[in-house]
Structures are given as C-alpha cells and as structure tokens.
C-alpha cells in the first residue's frame, strides 16, 4: 500500500483537502492526516499544536474553536501562488475517500479525543476496513482499542529512541495494537521481529524508491510517502517491466 503523507504533501499544502484530492489523483491507496481536538470538541486536520507554521498566524488548536481556526489559510507555508485552503474537519476529509481507498488517522493530542473520534467514525459512511488509527502516544492506542477493538490501530515508534525489539513487542501486546509504524530504513531484524510476532509493520516517511522496495521486500504492509504519484509510478515500472 502507498499511503499519502498528509496527502500529496510534496505537491500541495499538507493536511488540506487539496492535498487529499491530489493523493487520489496520484493513485494512493490511502491518505494519512494529523488530527487534533478543538476547544469546542471538533476534530480538525493539522499537525502542530498551533497554527503558525502552516497558517502564518498563531492560534493554539486546543484553545481555539473551529470557527476561529476555519478563518485561517492553511496554504500560507506552501510554495507557489495558491488559492486559500482552510483547515479541514475530519468529516470533510472522510468525504474525499473513495470506496476502495483508506485513511490513516494520526492522533496528535491525547486520549481525550477518543470518544469524539469514535462517534465521528460511526457517523461516517466508511467501513471499518478503510480506517486505521495511528499515534506515538501508546495510551491513545490503548484507549481507542479498549472501546473499538474491531478497528485497526498502530503504534508509532521513532528509531531515534532506542528500545529493544522485546520491549516493543511487549508494548504492542499491552496496548492491543494491530501493528507498528516506524521510520526504520535499515533494520530488517526489526521488521522481521514485528511481523513474525503477528503484527503488521508500516513504514514512514519514504520518498526514495530503493528504500521503499527494500521495505516492501522485508514485509512492510504500507509505505507512507510525500510523493505517492512518484512511488506509484516507479513501482509500476519496476513490477510490470
């Protein structure tokens, strides 16, 4: 699976509807987006705790209402002369997803978002097979799986924070995760240990075709990339020639 990181974020402003629509045009299998809870308990698509980097004006997401956030232009940081892009609601992102495609919902806040998130998922038209939850905070994964065990959830692990494979597996079992997502590019042993234990392995953020091919060969379930069109094209050339 090719997963578009914050949408087709190399070609459009990250975490905007424009980036997600472009990801589908580039034949991504799924999109990945970052989500936070607002002051008025809306779920919005934005990576940072505040809006300054992407919007050029600083509001703290958790301390702002959706009405306030919706007035900002989320394309301010992006190169080129673009039409303004608002910070989208999760429900708006859901509506872009074709029937045969999926979404990786990365939770950037804490477990407090989980009850609202589950309600939004239930009220969407998506099948459970189209949805995966991802988070660096293992307590978010644990809280989500305790309420919605039928929806996949993967714990995110940064290899800059060394942990033994044994400890990773213990944590995955404890929080009842379905898999691990990591930025590992070099360790086949890590991928093998995760998959042999019955968990899925997902890789991020890979824009290099050779690294992507290596990870797929090792058994990665998905490759998250800023360049879904490029990776899809290169993999198609590789496997159809």
């Amino acid at each position: 699976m090719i997963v578009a990181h914050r949408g087709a974020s190399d070609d459009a402003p990250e975490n905007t509807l424009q980036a997600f629509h472009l990801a589908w045009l580039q034949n991504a299998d799924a999109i990945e987006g970052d989500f936070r809870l607002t002051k008025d308990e809306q779920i919005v698509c934005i990576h940072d705790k505040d809006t300054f980097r992407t919007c050029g004006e600083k509001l703290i997401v958790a301390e702002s209402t959706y009405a306030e956030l919706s007035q900002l232009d989320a394309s301010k940081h992006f190169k080129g002369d673009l039409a303004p892009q608002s910070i989208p609601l999760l429900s708006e992102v859901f509506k872009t997803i074709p029937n045969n495609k999926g979404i990786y919902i990365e939770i950037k806040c804490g477990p407090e978002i989980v009850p609202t998130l589950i309600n939004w998922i239930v009220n969407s038209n998506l099948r459970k097979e189209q949805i995966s939850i991802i988070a660096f905070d293992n307590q978010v994964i644990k809280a989500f799986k305790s309420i919605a065990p039928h929806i996949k959830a993967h714990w995110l692990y940064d290899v800059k924070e060394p942990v033994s494979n044994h400890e990773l597996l213990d944590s995955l079992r404890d929080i009842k995760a379905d898999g691990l997502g990591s930025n590992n590019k070099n360790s086949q042993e890590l991928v093998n240990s995760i998959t042999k234990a019955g968990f899925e392995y997902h890789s991020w953020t890979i824009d290099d075709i050779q690294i992507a091919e290596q990870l797929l060969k090792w058994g990665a379930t998905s490759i998250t990339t800023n360049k879904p069109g490029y990776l899809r094209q290169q993999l198609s050339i590789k496997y159809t020639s």
Side-chain angles (χ1 to χ4, degrees):
M1 289 182 65
I2 301 297
V3 181
H5 182 238
R6 308 178 193 174
S9 55
D10 196 58
D11 297 316
E14 66 178 61
N15 285 322
T16 63
L17 295 181
Q18 183 182 36
F20 296 131
H21 284 299
L22 186 57
W24 304 131
L25 291 176
Q26 293 185 3
N27 203 23
D29 296 299
I31 53 174
E32 180 269 351
D34 305 294
F35 295 90
R36 293 180 176 275
L37 196 65
T38 66
K39 180 180 178 180
D40 54 343
E41 297 193 342
Q42 299 297 307
I43 300 177
V44 291
C45 189
I46 187 170
H47 180 275
D48 300 352
K49 290 181 179 180
D50 67 71
T51 60
F52 182 74
R53 179 177 63 86
T54 53
C55 303
E57 181 177 341
K58 186 172 181 178
L59 292 178
I60 306 298
V61 176
E63 299 173 3
S64 305
T65 65
Y66 171 64
E68 292 169 331
L69 295 167
S70 67
Q71 300 303 307
L72 304 181
D73 178 7
S75 69
K76 280 286 184 70
H77 69 293
F78 198 77
K79 59 185 181 292
D81 184 18
L82 301 173
Q85 292 287 308
S86 62
I87 299 171
L89 291 165
L90 174 59
S91 56
E92 294 177 304
V93 178
F94 279 162
K95 290 176 183 177
T96 74
I97 302 172
N99 289 334
N100 61 338
K101 305 289 186 175
I103 182 171
Y104 286 69
I105 300 171
E106 181 171 351
I107 303 306
K108 302 302 289 186
C109 53
E112 69 277 1
I113 197 175
V114 169
T116 302
L117 173 60
I118 290 173
N119 284 336
W120 283 39
I121 290 172
V122 168
N123 291 319
S124 76
N125 292 322
L126 299 179
R127 305 181 309 279
K128 64 181 179 64
E129 294 82 11
Q130 293 178 270
I131 299 169
S132 294
I133 307 301
I134 57 177
F136 284 96
D137 185 342
N138 60 4
Q139 294 308 302
V140 168
I141 301 300
K142 189 170 188 176
F144 185 87
K145 291 298 285 187
S146 70
I147 302 174
H150 58 293
I151 296 176
K152 286 187 176 181
H154 309 298
W155 181 37
L156 299 179
Y157 162 65
D158 188 339
V159 295
K160 293 178 183 177
E161 302 175 4
V163 177
S164 71
N165 293 348
H166 179 75
E167 290 175 297
L168 286 175
L169 291 172
D170 282 348
S171 293
L172 289 169
R173 294 185 183 106
D174 175 63
I175 64 179
K176 296 181 168 45
D178 297 283
L180 183 79
S182 178
N183 55 342
N184 162 59
K185 298 179 181 179
N186 303 310
S187 174
Q188 185 175 3
E189 180 187 355
L190 172 60
V191 181
N192 286 345
S193 67
I194 297 301
T195 56
K196 285 182 179 178
F199 296 100
E200 294 180 9
Y201 180 83
H202 300 263
S203 191
W204 50 268
T205 302
I206 308 298
D207 294 335
D208 184 290
I209 185 62
Q210 292 182 327
I211 296 174
E213 288 174 344
Q214 176 176 268
L215 287 159
L216 290 170
K217 187 182 296 183
W218 289 348
T221 299
S222 73
I223 302 292
T224 294
T225 178
N226 298 308
K227 302 179 178 182
Y230 168 75
L231 248 62
R232 173 67 68 206
Q233 179 188 44
Q234 294 300 309
L235 288 171
S236 296
I237 290 171
K238 173 77 174 179
Y239 293 107
T240 58
S241 60

